Amino acid sequence: MILLLESIDSRGSFRLLRDGAEQFQLKYQNWFSSKAVTAYNDQQIIMKSKNIWMSKFDIFKDDKDVGDIIFNWMGHVIIRLTRADGKGEDEFLLKHRGIVSTQYELRTEENEHLLTLKAGFNWKKFKYNYEIIREDHDYPDVVLDELLIYCGFAANLHMTNSGMG
């Protein structure tokens, strides 16, 4: 299975391709803005900044606050999501790795490695793409795809804010 987050415009918007088939598109309001919107699994998902420093973001599904994306002081990203049944939260950590080649690892609270995003930059089009390497785990594709919405959003912001983009 080939997974790719592919940049689709100069604003940072991207789409997820699974074996060449588009799963969703995430669109920014303007160039790498602090607000992005997508439709996935029959729901509208919006991510927007919670503060002026753009270090905390709310995640809304159909106008209901269902989680947060938080950049911590170590440069990692915490993705916190309310469970669908409303009973508790799940937390994921997106860690930046590498100096020469940039990649991000997504891990669960229990430190289970779910996937790796390997960044590649297309100089002709001036866009980032992320090759996704899925680790061995029991998460279904629908959950993984939704996590990739948040990971792509966070990775783009990290690349932009750290001066890599």
Side-chain angles (χ1 to χ4, degrees):
M1 173 185 320
I2 298 171
L3 289 169
L4 178 68
L5 286 178
E6 179 182 65
S7 181
I8 57 175
D9 65 30
S10 61
R11 292 185 304 263
S13 301
F14 60 87
R15 65 184 180 165
L16 173 65
L17 298 174
R18 180 184 298 283
D19 292 329
E22 185 176 291
Q23 305 300 304
F24 66 79
Q25 285 189 6
L26 181 124
K27 295 191 176 187
Y28 291 87
Q29 282 186 322
N30 51 48
W31 201 72
F32 289 103
S33 80
S34 61
K35 183 177 180 184
V37 178
T38 190
Y40 182 71
N41 204 17
D42 295 325
Q43 295 177 312
Q44 181 186 46
I45 298 174
I46 298 173
M47 289 158 289
K48 62 183 179 180
S49 185
K50 207 181 223 188
N51 62 27
I52 61 172
W53 301 278
M54 292 200 332
S55 62
K56 295 180 182 180
F57 297 81
D58 281 321
I59 301 170
F60 294 93
K61 281 187 186 177
D62 293 334
D63 296 323
K64 182 180 177 191
D65 190 344
V66 297
D68 301 296
I69 298 173
I70 302 164
F71 288 78
N72 70 16
W73 63 274
M74 294 172 42
H76 301 147
V77 180
I78 299 163
I79 301 169
R80 192 174 302 135
L81 301 168
T82 302
R83 293 186 186 137
D85 63 7
K87 298 178 181 176
E89 293 181 333
D90 290 308
E91 195 169 285
F92 301 89
L93 187 63
L94 187 66
K95 292 182 177 182
H96 174 256
R97 298 277 191 221
I99 295 171
V100 176
S101 67
T102 299
Q103 60 184 24
Y104 298 89
E105 291 180 358
L106 182 68
R107 296 184 174 270
T108 65
E109 288 177 276
E110 295 79 26
N111 204 31
E112 180 183 8
H113 189 181
L114 299 180
L115 55 89
T116 301
L117 282 78
K118 292 179 82 173
F121 191 74
N122 183 330
W123 284 102
K124 288 182 184 178
K125 296 182 179 181
F126 205 69
K127 298 177 182 176
Y128 279 104
N129 292 324
Y130 298 94
E131 175 190 353
I132 298 148
I133 301 163
R134 182 180 170 151
E135 302 299 326
D136 187 30
H137 56 73
D138 295 329
Y139 280 76
D141 288 345
V142 68
V143 173
L144 186 67
D145 289 356
E146 185 175 332
L147 284 170
L148 284 168
I149 292 169
Y150 313 131
C151 290
F153 178 82
N156 275 348
L157 277 168
H158 182 267
M159 295 285 261
T160 302
N161 293 339
S162 65
M164 291 184 223

